[in-house]
Amino acid sequence: MGCVASLQGCSRLLDSSISILHDGVRDFPRTKQVLRTERHFELTSEPALRKAQNAITEEIVPEVDHLLRRVEQQLAKMERREKGLIAKVELQEGRINQTAPKFSDKPTRSGVSEISPTEQLKMLKNKRERLEHTIERLSLQTTHKERQLRMSMNYGV
């Protein structure tokens, strides 16, 4: 009887161990799937990255420089146009503000000019302003034409 009881004790111990082992490994296939490593990204060496960066830089920098030059040219063109328009507006304002009638150097029947010297002075000042604006506008046009000529000679247009 001692042998049988000992064998039954060993059998229960073995059943208990199998049960514990079964509980421990029951989740093993899922754990295996979770722990499996998958390569999602390609690893690249540092020299290869630097080489690619340099290639991109060499490709992009000239294009960016070209675009910046074009922007600067357009800004200069717009500034010249703005100055011309301002001069034109000032000239037009001068013409509009000139309300005094034009005087003639012909004396009246009495031999005296109809316009007083202060009015003549005012009219002459207005005329001088108009002429100054005209000179400024023509100067801007000349500068613009010279620049166009230089650009056409530089670029062979």
Side-chain angles (χ1 to χ4, degrees):
M1 279 251 189
C3 281
V4 174
S6 178
L7 186 59
Q8 285 177 346
C10 283
S11 178
R12 271 185 261 130
L13 184 61
L14 188 58
D15 283 338
S16 172
S17 296
I18 289 174
S19 172
I20 291 172
L21 193 58
H22 179 65
D23 289 341
V25 256
R26 174 181 48 177
D27 200 27
F28 190 69
R30 187 188 67 82
T31 307
K32 178 182 169 190
Q33 181 69 23
V34 168
L35 294 177
R36 185 179 57 160
T37 58
E38 223 175 281
R39 196 172 181 177
H40 292 285
F41 301 100
E42 186 76 26
L43 297 178
T44 308
S45 66
E46 190 73 24
L49 282 175
R50 285 196 183 117
K51 185 177 177 182
Q53 286 175 338
N54 290 337
I56 290 173
T57 301
E58 289 173 2
E59 184 179 328
I60 291 175
V61 168
E63 186 67 26
V64 169
D65 289 341
H66 172 70
L67 292 173
L68 285 173
R69 280 193 304 275
R70 283 183 56 193
V71 166
E72 289 170 354
Q73 289 172 350
Q74 290 297 322
L75 283 174
K77 183 178 177 181
M78 291 176 78
E79 287 173 357
R80 289 190 305 272
R81 181 177 165 103
E82 180 184 18
K83 287 179 183 177
L85 290 173
I86 289 171
K88 187 176 180 180
V89 165
E90 289 173 354
L91 178 64
Q92 295 296 334
E93 286 175 350
R95 287 180 181 167
I96 290 172
N97 291 335
Q98 182 184 9
T99 57
K102 296 205 176 212
F103 68 93
S104 63
D105 292 329
K106 298 178 187 173
T108 60
R109 289 184 195 157
S110 64
V112 180
S113 178
E114 294 178 4
I115 300 173
S116 71
T118 55
E119 288 177 348
Q120 286 180 354
L121 180 63
K122 185 177 179 181
M123 290 173 59
L124 288 173
K125 283 182 180 180
N126 285 338
K127 185 175 182 179
R128 187 178 110 212
E129 283 182 18
R130 285 194 316 273
L131 291 172
E132 286 174 351
H133 287 296
T134 303
I135 289 171
E136 184 179 343
R137 181 177 47 83
L138 291 173
S139 172
L140 286 171
Q141 286 178 351
T142 303
T143 304
H144 179 68
K145 294 290 184 185
E146 288 173 353
R147 185 172 285 125
Q148 282 182 335
L149 180 64
R150 276 186 271 137
M151 288 177 66
S152 68
M153 293 179 74
N154 286 340
Y155 294 112
V157 173

